[in-house]
Amino acid sequence: QVHLLESGGGSVEAGGSLRLSCAASGEDFYGTHCMAWFRQAPEKEREGVASIFTGGGSTRYMPAVRGRFTISHDRAKNTIFLQMNGLKAEDTAMYYCASAWRYSGGCDLGTDDYNYWGQGTQVTVSS
């Protein structure tokens, strides 16, 4: 079993910044993983925001956040981060952390690519 615990959400004005964290734990969390951030706004489908391969650090971003968001990984703490700068009202959503065991990188941003999910943390950006 793998447990993912997100934190760091909140309410900010447009142009502001937030840093999300996701701590992974559990007896099945070993080796290398793809870990990612997804988000889901009301009445919209869940979409992949950014991913990272814990074995080598390769990253992938959705076009809407590239250049504004940065995903990173602290391997010693089994924690990933999402630094979000230049936030916009359209970034408002519930943000979820996800994980899946992978032997190699190239972590996709599809929901079907991940089998462990956190409970989510709310990000609200006011314009």
Side-chain angles (χ1 to χ4, degrees):
Q1 185 69 300
V2 173
H3 301 283
L4 302 173
L5 182 61
E6 304 100 331
S7 61
S11 298
V12 295
E13 294 185 352
S17 298
L18 283 173
R19 189 190 194 211
L20 305 183
S21 300
C22 171
S25 62
E27 61 184 15
D28 292 329
F29 194 82
Y30 59 89
T32 54
H33 288 245
C34 280
M35 296 188 72
W37 289 99
F38 287 76
R39 68 186 184 187
Q40 187 167 19
E43 300 182 358
K44 291 189 176 182
E45 293 187 355
R46 190 170 296 188
E47 57 183 1
V49 176
S51 66
I52 189 166
F53 176 57
T54 64
S58 60
T59 59
R60 190 168 293 181
Y61 296 91
M62 67 181 302
V65 305
R66 194 172 293 129
R68 298 189 296 124
F69 291 9
T70 302
I71 189 170
S72 60
H73 174 235
D74 185 332
R75 189 166 188 174
K77 297 181 178 179
N78 288 337
T79 299
I80 65 168
F81 306 95
L82 186 67
Q83 179 66 44
M84 304 184 294
N85 298 328
L87 282 162
K88 305 176 181 179
E90 51 264 42
D91 295 318
T92 294
M94 185 72 80
Y95 282 70
Y96 297 90
C97 178
S99 175
W101 183 87
R102 287 291 185 275
Y103 180 74
S104 60
C107 301
D108 292 326
L109 290 174
T111 55
D112 290 344
D113 296 307
Y114 298 85
N115 52 350
Y116 295 107
W117 294 85
Q119 294 298 308
T121 185
Q122 178 67 37
V123 171
T124 302
V125 184
S126 57
S127 58

